[in-house]
């Protein structure tokens, strides 16, 4: 699914009206019904509800929801911003409510807000492209002080600017949930903006799909149907050679577990063969814990000192649990400089690269880098905000023909053609030791199975999150450990594979 900006969404809105031969009012009514249908599931039937409405179409949505909730017997209190220029559909919605239900407010007004209400925030949506005036803080503070049981935003938390970096001092309503129409808004996917809403839910209001090709974008939100399109069909004549041979290079004394996790994930993702390359201390652990894998060992006991020949392997991951011994570091750099085939580079291999000047020039093209935030910072330096972070990474990805995976709640895959794919699966339980090792194993395995680096990264990140989502149906997120993720990759495949 494409992620487009506010201006494009407005164009989409107009094109839908034209192609479907409907009015803007009809479209707003669709939005209102979808919102109401969802909101009633969020609120207890007797809960007092306060709906805050602005003067544009976001306010129109709020007024429409108020009308529908009244019909269902909910008691609502409506506050609407006093204005001279309401949008047409906003006014029409006002007229459908009796005038004594509407409380008009000014920015500097003390409002009488009943405590413990559900607040519906319909003041601003995608119609703002610059920060709100500071006076809005007084309204948002009053909302917060009224101790609402929950705050539900329509389309965006009011004051949130979806396509530009938010600054902490910009006035903005902070909500528990946001129902956003049709497509996610870019800013909602950034970790730094998670303070504005705990979660967002997409509402499909039937914007015309046939015209969505018209909108150019570098951003995508990856869901089940996107993934299903590029899952490879498996021939019945396949054999273990078809599914690739994955090599996992890493481990050091006390950190062999990470190699077990990576290798297990590679096998569970469907690698035909998996070989590990570790220091000698890894041999017994791997042969005991993962009997399906094969082990090669370095001459050294505690850390890798010599790096292997990799030509015979179709997928290669390097760096997990590798440690940062000076000999390992030095030999890793000598080794990587001479590699030609794509690698999945993780953990200590990234830390080692970060110590080198112009480190990206050392990495073979089409490699996949999977840094967590700290590792990314070591590689690319500081960033002012998540927009800037993305831009920095995008430039590097294009210039050096690499794929970057920025891990987070909505993990972003930045490919060598400058596109960014945000992932929609996963949960907080997956923020656990070894989760990243598992991801590297999945991606290396997919490259081994013939996916290119971008496909393997997008699919791998999705599968990893999905396996985690199936895992938390059986295991509490607190108790989820990385090996559980691999145990549920099979469930993820069942869910995606229409042949089963
Ligand atoms: N396309 C869709 O998917 C559909 C969209 N729908 C809904 O429409 C919403 C978009 O509606 P919208 O365009 O009327 O904008 P909205 O967010 O209500 O705000 C506009 C008002 O804000 C004002 N304003 C602007 N900047 C400001 C500032 N910095 N500080 C103060 N004021 C500022 C601006 O005032 P003006 O500058 O024009 O005087 C204007 O009056 C969208 O989010 C969704 O909820 C659905 O109904 C149906 C399908
Ligand atoms: K809003």
């Amino acid at each position: 699914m494409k992620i487009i900006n506010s201006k494009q969404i407005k164009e989409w809105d107009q094109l839908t009206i034209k192609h479907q031969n409907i009015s803007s009012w009809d479209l707003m009514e669709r939005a209102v019904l979808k919102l109401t249908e969802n909101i009633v599931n969020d609120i207890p039937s007797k809960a007092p509800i306060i709906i805050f409405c602005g003067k544009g179409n976001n306010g129109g949505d709020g007024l429409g929801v108020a009308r529908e909730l009244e019909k269902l017997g909910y008691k609502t209190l409506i506050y609407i911003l006093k204005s001279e220029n309401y949008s047409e559909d906003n006014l029409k919605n006002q007229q459908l409510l009796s005038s004594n239900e509407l409380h008009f407010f000014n920015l500097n007004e003390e409002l009488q807000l009943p405590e413990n209400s559900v607040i519906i925030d319909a003041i601003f949506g995608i119609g703002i492209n610059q920060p709100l005036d500071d006076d809005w803080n007084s309204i948002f503070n009053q909302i917060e002080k009224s101790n609402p049981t929950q705050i539900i935003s329509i389309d965006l938390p009011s004051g949130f600017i979806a396509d530009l970096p938010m600054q902490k001092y910009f006035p903005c309503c902070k909500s528990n949930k946001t129902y956003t129409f049709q497509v996610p808004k870019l800013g909602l996917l950034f970790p730094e903006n998670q303070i504005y809403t705990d979660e967002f839910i997409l509402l499909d209001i039937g914007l015309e799909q046939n015209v969505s090709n018209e909108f150019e974008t570098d951003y995508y939100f990856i869901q089940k149907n996107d993934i299903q399109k590029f899952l490879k069909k498996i021939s019945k004549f396949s054999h273990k050679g078809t599914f690739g041979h994955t090599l996992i290079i890493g481990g050091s004394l006390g950190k062999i577990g990470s190699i077990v996790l990576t290798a297990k994930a590679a096998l569970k993702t469907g690698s035909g063969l998996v070989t590990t390359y570790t220091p000698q201390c890894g041999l017994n652990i791997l042969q005991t814990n993962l009997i399906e894998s094969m082990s090669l060992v370095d001459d050294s006991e505690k850390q890798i000192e010599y790096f292997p020949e990799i030509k015979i392997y179709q997928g290669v991951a390097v760096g997990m649990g590798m440690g940062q011994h000076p000999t390992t570091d030095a030999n890793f750099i000598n080794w990587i400089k001479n590699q030609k085939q794509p690698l999945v580079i993780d953990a200590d291999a990234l830390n080692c690269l970060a110590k080198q000047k112009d480190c990206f020039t050392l990495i073979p093209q089409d490699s996949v880098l999977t840094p967590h935030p700290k590792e990314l910072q070591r590689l690319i330096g500081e960033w002012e905000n998540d927009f800037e972070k993305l831009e920095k990474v995008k430039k590097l990805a294009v210039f050096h023909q690499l794929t970057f995976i920025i891990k987070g709640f909505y993990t972003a895959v930045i490919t060598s053609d400058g596109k960014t794919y945000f992932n929609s699966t996963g949960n907080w339980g997956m923020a656990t030791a070894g989760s990243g090792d598992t991801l590297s194993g999945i991606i290396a395995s997919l490259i081994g199975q013939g996916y290119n680096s971008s496909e393997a990264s997008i699919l791998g990140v999705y599968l990893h999150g999905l396996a985690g989502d199936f895992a938390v149906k059986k295991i509490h997120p607190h108790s989820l450990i990385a090996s559980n993720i691999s145990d549920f990759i099979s469930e993820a495949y069942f869910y995606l594979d229409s042949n089963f």
Side-chain angles (χ1 to χ4, degrees), residues 439-450:
L439 176 64
S440 296
I442 293 174
I443 296 171
S445 176
L446 292 170
I447 293 176
Q449 291 172 53

Side-chain angles (χ1 to χ4, degrees), residues 2-260:
K2 282 183 178 176
I3 299 171
I4 55 178
N5 61 37
S6 301
K7 190 165 162 268
Q8 291 170 314
I9 295 173
K10 286 200 171 166
E11 281 171 45
W12 198 5
D13 195 354
Q14 291 310 312
L15 286 169
T16 301
I17 288 170
K18 194 170 142 208
H19 280 256
Q20 297 182 0
N21 200 16
I22 56 170
S23 63
S24 66
W25 172 259
D26 295 331
L27 197 54
M28 187 179 279
E29 279 294 277
R30 273 192 208 168
V32 164
L33 294 177
K34 266 278 154 79
L35 283 164
T36 310
E37 194 181 300
N38 282 275
I39 289 174
V40 291
N41 291 325
D42 296 334
I43 49 183
S45 58
K46 297 252 166 59
I49 302 167
I50 312 176
I51 308 189
F52 275 89
C53 303
K55 59 184 180 142
N57 285 345
N58 195 254
D61 292 341
L63 292 163
V65 168
R67 173 171 33 90
E68 290 303 315
L69 288 176
E70 292 269 341
K71 276 194 213 160
L72 296 171
Y74 288 88
K75 274 272 138 279
T76 62
L77 180 59
I78 307 164
Y79 276 97
I80 176 160
L81 181 67
K82 212 175 266 173
S83 168
E84 306 273 281
N85 59 338
Y86 293 106
S87 73
E88 206 182 311
D89 293 334
N90 182 310
L91 263 183
K92 190 166 167 186
N93 262 313
Q94 287 184 39
Q95 283 150 9
L96 288 176
L97 290 156
S98 72
S99 56
N100 57 4
E101 287 172 300
L102 299 173
H103 296 72
F104 292 88
F105 71 94
N106 281 316
L107 285 191
N108 34 27
E109 205 172 306
E110 282 288 318
L111 310 174
Q112 301 300 320
L113 301 181
E115 294 218 328
N116 305 318
S117 308
V118 172
I119 304 271
I120 297 181
D121 152 38
I123 310 176
F124 298 107
I126 56 168
I128 66 161
N129 54 15
Q130 56 176 359
L132 297 180
D133 207 83
D134 283 348
D135 290 347
W136 276 98
N137 280 325
S138 140
I139 300 294
F140 298 141
N141 288 340
Q142 290 186 62
I143 290 180
E144 213 174 298
K145 284 214 179 94
S146 73
N147 246 333
T149 52
Q150 52 177 322
I151 303 181
I152 300 170
S153 292
I154 295 183
D155 211 14
L156 284 174
S158 294
F160 188 83
I161 305 170
D163 308 320
L164 294 170
M166 282 291 284
Q167 303 292 339
K168 296 252 160 34
Y169 57 86
F170 291 177
C172 187
C173 182
K174 294 194 175 78
S175 65
N176 302 100
K177 187 184 261 191
T178 299
Y179 285 107
T180 200
F181 297 128
Q182 208 71 37
V183 286
K185 315 300 181 275
L186 185 58
L188 290 178
L189 298 161
F190 290 145
E192 68 188 8
N193 290 336
Q194 275 158 31
I195 51 169
Y196 298 106
T197 190
D198 297 340
E199 60 171 334
F200 72 81
I201 313 270
L202 287 180
L203 289 190
D204 184 345
I205 54 165
L207 294 189
E208 182 63 36
Q209 289 303 326
N210 291 334
V211 297
S212 61
N213 288 343
E214 308 213 353
F215 303 114
E216 292 215 352
T217 182
D218 283 339
Y219 305 104
Y220 299 84
F221 189 62
I222 296 300
Q223 293 178 303
K224 183 182 183 183
N225 59 338
D226 304 302
I227 291 293
Q228 280 174 322
K229 277 181 211 152
F230 68 85
L231 265 183
K232 283 189 193 298
K233 299 251 175 313
I234 304 299
S235 147
K236 63 180 178 183
F237 300 110
S238 306
H239 52 89
K240 65 185 173 192
T242 326
F243 299 120
H245 190 169
T246 307
L247 175 68
I248 319 281
I249 308 168
S252 56
L253 185 67
K255 290 186 183 165
I256 299 300
S258 55
I259 300 301
V260 181

Side-chain angles (χ1 to χ4, degrees), residues 290-499:
L290 201 62
I291 52 173
E292 295 84 354
S293 71
M294 297 177 279
S295 296
L296 293 174
V297 285
D298 195 272
D299 284 349
S300 162
E301 177 63 30
K302 295 183 182 169
Q303 66 275 324
I304 295 177
E305 295 194 354
Y306 305 94
F307 284 77
E309 179 60 61
I310 61 171
K311 282 203 187 85
I312 62 159
Y313 304 98
Q314 289 74 48
V316 181
V318 59
M320 294 69 47
M322 192 168 81
Q324 298 188 55
H325 189 279
T327 315
T328 310
D329 270 12
N331 290 347
F332 171 68
I333 294 299
N334 282 332
W335 172 82
I336 196 167
K337 285 201 283 217
N338 296 310
Q339 302 312 313
K340 296 273 180 291
Q341 72 191 79
L343 307 168
V344 178
I345 308 175
D346 190 25
D348 288 324
L350 293 171
N351 291 328
C352 174
L353 283 164
K355 292 177 211 156
Q356 300 290 313
K357 203 164 169 280
D358 297 329
C359 66
F360 297 108
T361 59
L362 307 175
I363 303 172
Q365 278 194 5
D366 294 324
S367 289
V368 179
L369 284 71
T370 59
H372 61 59
K374 204 82 216 128
E375 287 161 352
L376 183 68
Q377 199 187 30
R378 286 184 203 121
L379 283 165
I380 70 165
E382 299 286 339
W383 50 83
E384 283 267 310
N385 54 60
D386 286 343
F387 278 88
E388 191 190 89
K389 173 173 74 179
L390 206 54
E391 280 312 305
K392 269 183 141 178
V393 173
K394 215 159 92 163
K395 272 196 191 134
L396 288 167
V398 173
F399 190 80
H400 296 284
Q401 290 295 289
L402 300 169
T403 296
F404 283 80
I405 297 177
I406 309 184
K407 296 174 200 168
F409 190 81
Y410 298 105
T411 291
V413 176
I414 296 114
T415 55
S416 54
D417 57 357
K419 308 244 184 252
T420 300
Y421 300 85
F422 289 94
N423 186 43
S424 62
T425 56
N427 58 76
W428 61 266
M430 298 175 73
T432 181
S435 181
D437 302 329
T438 307
L439 176 64
S440 296
I442 293 174
I443 296 171
S445 176
L446 292 170
I447 293 176
Q449 291 172 53
Y451 291 92
N452 68 35
S453 300
S454 317
E455 291 169 343
S457 302
I458 298 164
L459 173 56
V461 164
Y462 185 90
L463 261 183
H464 181 250
L466 188 58
D469 289 342
F470 279 111
V472 294
K473 289 186 180 172
K474 298 273 163 60
I475 300 162
H476 191 277
H478 272 310
S479 305
L480 184 78
I481 55 174
S483 54
N484 299 144
I485 300 172
S486 293
D487 292 333
F488 283 87
I489 293 172
S490 157
E491 295 286 326
Y493 273 132
F494 273 126
Y495 174 78
L496 293 171
D497 192 338
S498 49
N499 292 322

